[in-house]
Amino acid sequence: MTSTAERVPGSASAEPGTRQRGSGPRGGNGAGRRRSVTSSRAPLVLLAPAALLLLALVVYPLVRLLVISFQDYGLRAIFTGQAGFAGVTNYTNVLTDPSFWPVILRTVLVTGAMVVGTIGIGMAVSQLLTRLSVAMRTVVSVVLVLAWAMPNVASSLVWQWLFQPFYGVLNWLITQLGVFGDHTQDNWASSPGQALTIVLTLVIWQAVPFVALTLYAAQSQIAPEYYEAGSLDGASSWAMYRAITLPALVPTLLLVTILSVIWDFNVFNQIWLLTRGGPEDTTLTLGIWTFVKSFVSNAYGQGAAIAVISTLILGALTSYYIRRLVRSGEEDL
């Protein structure tokens, strides 16, 4: 007598442990493989536009910059489109220039002062936001966003007007106080110390809103139970800030520090509009020196070499913080 399994083709009992083609919903393994291939390609498709933008706006300019740094690129090359190979001559001329090491040291010191001032004031403003009422916090946040959103060229021109001799607001205010005498004709850009002060003040004023709001957002995520426990133990506000707030803010602090170093190292508009690198080269940083070499001296090859060196220095300065940031992210996981 023939069994049911023998009479019904493709039954489960006909071939134990095997699966017939087309079994299961939507065709079985074939559809599953198609879904897995599609899902594996989806991230690549979504990342493709960003990758193309990075290639067009970052990778290609860097490669082009590197090529120009090894060429004898001047006004003739701009008009003819042809530039001879110069080897390492541009780098040799830059590295042996008497201004090279003073500019490097000045750039590092100015960047450090900007970053320290920005992070310090930003932490203070962030802590202040946690103590304000909802209405006042909203007002302060809006003011910070407006200050940060102002284009740096516009804010630099406003700053230039504030410190102008004869009709500058700050000179008029100091003169009206009558404590320091008549400062109506005081030209801030002509004194090395004053010129550096107005540049640092402007850059820090523009950068503080981003740091303050970012740190406040991170600080608002700390569970209030920790502060309640600290209050029950009799800890002071400073002790709780040091033991609870700061450890929780370390990843965010590393992030804003990296971004501040990158932004402040490449500051150009503010310095050029206010002081043009002077007086007495007090504010002559690598960004200003690159521009002067390229567009004032028409030595585009040397300017490109300075830009490549700046990129290497910036990478070395930020590599440590990037490793720390990645390591802290892995620890959080």
Side-chain angles (χ1 to χ4, degrees):
M1 187 170 78
T2 305
S3 64
T4 305
E6 292 175 348
R7 292 196 306 269
V8 180
S11 64
S13 60
E15 293 292 337
T18 62
R19 187 169 184 173
Q20 299 297 323
R21 180 180 300 176
S23 62
R26 298 186 182 179
N29 292 342
R33 282 195 296 270
R34 286 195 296 271
R35 285 197 301 270
S36 63
V37 171
T38 303
S39 61
S40 64
R41 291 178 179 175
L44 299 178
V45 174
L46 294 174
L47 291 174
L52 292 176
L53 285 176
L54 286 176
L55 288 173
L57 302 178
V58 178
V59 177
Y60 173 75
L62 284 176
V63 173
R64 182 61 177 159
L65 182 72
L66 185 62
V67 171
I68 293 176
S69 68
F70 289 101
Q71 292 179 335
D72 184 14
Y73 208 95
L75 287 177
R76 180 181 178 183
I78 292 179
F79 290 106
T80 62
Q82 299 177 354
F85 181 70
V88 296
T89 303
N90 292 325
Y91 290 93
T92 303
N93 293 334
V94 169
L95 293 174
T96 57
D97 194 301
S99 301
F100 177 74
W101 291 110
V103 169
I104 292 289
L105 179 61
R106 187 181 304 113
T107 303
V108 173
L109 293 177
V110 170
T111 301
M114 292 177 181
V115 172
V116 171
T118 301
I119 299 299
I121 299 176
M123 292 175 67
V125 175
S126 171
Q127 184 66 16
L128 175 65
L129 289 173
T130 62
R131 305 296 181 91
L132 297 177
S133 62
V134 176
M136 283 301 300
R137 187 186 306 130
T138 303
V139 172
V140 174
S141 299
V142 170
V143 172
L144 290 174
V145 170
L146 291 176
W148 183 56
M150 181 180 293
N152 53 38
V153 173
S155 59
S156 299
L157 293 176
V158 172
W159 217 257
Q160 190 180 48
W161 171 71
L162 290 174
F163 291 92
Q164 278 283 353
F166 298 107
Y167 54 87
V169 174
L170 188 63
N171 289 347
W172 173 84
L173 182 61
I174 295 175
T175 303
Q176 293 300 313
L177 291 176
V179 178
F180 303 100
D182 186 4
H183 282 262
T184 307
Q185 303 182 23
D186 188 11
N187 186 3
W188 289 73
S190 64
S191 172
Q194 292 179 342
L196 187 60
T197 299
I198 62 175
V199 169
L200 292 177
T201 308
L202 172 59
V203 174
I204 293 173
W205 173 77
Q206 291 178 315
V208 161
F210 171 78
V211 174
L213 293 175
T214 303
L215 292 177
Y216 170 71
Q219 191 169 347
S220 62
Q221 301 303 312
I222 302 175
E225 290 80 7
Y226 293 110
Y227 297 102
E228 294 175 1
S231 299
L232 293 175
D233 291 338
S236 62
S237 299
W238 167 245
M240 287 190 290
Y241 185 81
R242 185 179 56 191
I244 300 173
T245 307
L246 280 181
L249 292 180
V250 166
T252 308
L253 279 172
L254 287 174
L255 176 62
V256 296
T257 301
I258 293 171
L259 295 176
S260 297
V261 169
I262 294 173
W263 292 335
D264 294 341
F265 193 88
N266 294 313
V267 166
F268 174 80
N269 291 335
Q270 296 91 323
I271 299 177
W272 184 255
L273 290 174
L274 290 177
T275 64
R276 297 186 181 273
E280 302 175 10
D281 293 341
T282 304
T283 57
L284 183 65
T285 59
L286 276 172
I288 302 298
W289 197 38
T290 302
F291 181 83
V292 170
K293 280 289 186 182
S294 299
F295 299 101
V296 177
S297 303
N298 295 323
Y300 299 100
Q302 293 187 32
I306 298 172
V308 171
I309 294 173
S310 302
T311 303
L312 295 176
I313 295 174
L314 188 59
L317 289 174
T318 58
S319 60
Y320 169 75
Y321 294 101
I322 293 176
R323 288 198 302 269
R324 286 285 304 274
L325 183 64
V326 172
R327 190 177 305 154
S328 63
E330 294 174 351
E331 291 175 355
D332 292 339
L333 295 177

